[in-house]
Amino acid sequence: MVAEDSSSSLQPDLDWWHVAESSVFVLVAALISFCMGTRLELSLIISGIRCVVQLTIMGYVLDDVLGSNNPGIVMLMTLVLILLGAYETTFNRAKKTFSGLFVNMLVILLVSNVFIAFLGSAFALQEHPFWSPPKFIPIIGMLLGNSMGSIAMATEQCLDNITLNGPIIETRLAFGATRFEAVKPLAVEAIRVSMLPIITQLSVMGLINIPGMMVGQLMAGMSIKDAVVYQQCIMFMIAASSALGAVMAVIACLIVLVDKHHSLRSEKIEDNLPIIRLQTILDLSQAVGSKLGPTVCLAKCRSHRHEPKYEEVELR
């Protein structure tokens, strides 16, 4: 009891002022981006603001959800997380898209994450009931956070391969190959590339990378053995959900882009333009500045418009 009190007293009391202090690191990264002309400073700042707002809202929501013992609330929260994950993957992470990609992402995230979370929680972690809010919702969040990257990478790689290798696919189809035979090498390459970050994460876990969940469990008083076993189970669940999601994403893309008549439909692929663009913000700044008078910030915004456009900056 004394040891627990002493360990809790050693933990510093953090406040919003400490968050403001740590935001200096993001501002330094934005300054470096501005000096080097990469045009990522706006994305860094807006992403940092999103991080603070989203985590704050999530904290207040989870405070009530984790204290409930209602499976309906747990499933509703799971569905909300999956909807947000599908939106983020479709509109913010993918550079290319096609009609119906959001629905595909929603189904893929739902199947790959909920299925693995159920199996892992009920059988690997021996949670009874499996939907226990303090365990099931954090597991869903961790699975979504990791699988979204693999699914987005697999989708982008698959669409890029089809765009670049369209003539090769059409030649294979013309010589009698089925649509699965024609695109199999490209599908395998897309899945392989999307799984490389997860494989790297597994290989360095415990050797170089110390996972944050394990550190949190140790700080909460869990024994080292239990924290290690729990983390290993979670990592295997992450690998399974990422692999399942990547395979489903590639299959969904190929089914849409190579139809049942064995015809390549590459015209369905479109550039995924961001909802908010840098040019839109610059035009808005100019419109506001014309009413408020010239400012230094407005002059800087106008000067940016005459610089060569190296890439379209997406605001995450």
Side-chain angles (χ1 to χ4, degrees), residues 127-287:
E127 289 293 333
H128 300 289
F130 75 91
W131 48 264
S132 176
K135 298 294 179 65
F136 190 79
I137 293 179
I139 288 174
I140 283 289
M142 286 184 287
L143 296 185
L144 276 173
N146 288 272
S147 64
M148 281 170 53
S150 296
I151 293 172
M153 189 178 298
T155 303
E156 182 177 347
Q157 186 73 20
C158 184
L159 297 180
D160 286 340
N161 287 342
I162 292 177
T163 302
L164 296 175
N165 300 285
I168 298 177
I169 299 175
E170 291 179 338
T171 302
R172 291 172 180 170
L173 293 172
F175 277 93
T178 64
R179 57 176 175 172
F180 298 107
E181 292 173 344
V183 299
K184 181 179 178 181
L186 304 180
V188 171
E189 179 66 16
I191 295 173
R192 189 189 68 83
V193 171
S194 66
M195 288 302 297
L196 286 178
I198 298 298
I199 295 174
T200 303
Q201 190 176 359
L202 284 173
S203 62
V204 302
M205 187 64 61
L207 180 64
I208 301 172
N209 180 24
I210 301 177
M213 187 195 73
M214 179 177 170
V215 174
Q217 289 175 328
L218 293 176
M219 294 177 63
M222 181 180 288
S223 65
I224 296 179
K225 177 186 175 182
D226 292 340
V228 168
V229 171
Y230 203 95
Q231 182 64 47
Q232 291 169 352
C233 294
I234 293 296
M235 287 306 304
F236 293 154
M237 293 166 62
I238 289 174
S241 64
S242 299
L244 181 59
V247 171
M248 293 179 64
V250 171
I251 292 176
C253 291
L254 297 180
I255 289 176
V256 172
L257 299 176
V258 184
D259 59 22
K260 61 182 179 180
H261 301 294
H262 307 287
S263 299
L264 181 63
R265 306 295 302 274
S266 57
E267 71 276 2
K268 292 185 177 181
I269 302 177
E270 303 174 354
D271 291 332
N272 192 9
L273 298 178
I275 298 176
I276 303 176
R277 306 182 202 175
L278 180 61
Q279 190 64 36
T280 304
I281 295 179
L282 294 180
D283 293 339
L284 181 61
S285 301
Q286 184 179 12

Side-chain angles (χ1 to χ4, degrees), residues 13-24 48-49 51-60:
D13 294 330
L14 300 180
D15 203 349
W16 295 110
W17 176 249
H18 299 90
V19 177
E21 290 179 345
S22 62
S23 66
V24 174
I49 296 174
C51 176
V52 173
V53 174
Q54 291 166 182
L55 281 176
T56 303
I57 296 175
M58 181 64 68
Y60 285 113

Side-chain angles (χ1 to χ4, degrees), residues 54-103:
Q54 291 166 182
L55 281 176
T56 303
I57 296 175
M58 181 64 68
Y60 285 113
V61 171
L62 288 181
D63 190 26
D64 295 329
V65 173
L66 296 182
S68 66
N69 197 27
N70 189 336
I73 296 178
V74 175
M75 294 302 113
L76 179 61
M77 186 66 187
T78 301
L79 182 60
V80 170
L81 293 176
I82 292 174
L83 280 170
L84 295 175
Y87 176 86
E88 184 73 17
T89 305
T90 303
F91 298 105
N92 289 338
R93 294 201 179 189
K95 294 183 180 179
K96 295 182 180 297
T97 184
F98 56 85
S99 179
L101 181 60
F102 175 76
V103 177

Side-chain angles (χ1 to χ4, degrees), residues 289-301:
S290 62
K291 297 180 180 180
L292 300 180
T295 59
V296 177
C297 181
L298 180 59
K300 188 64 180 176
C301 291

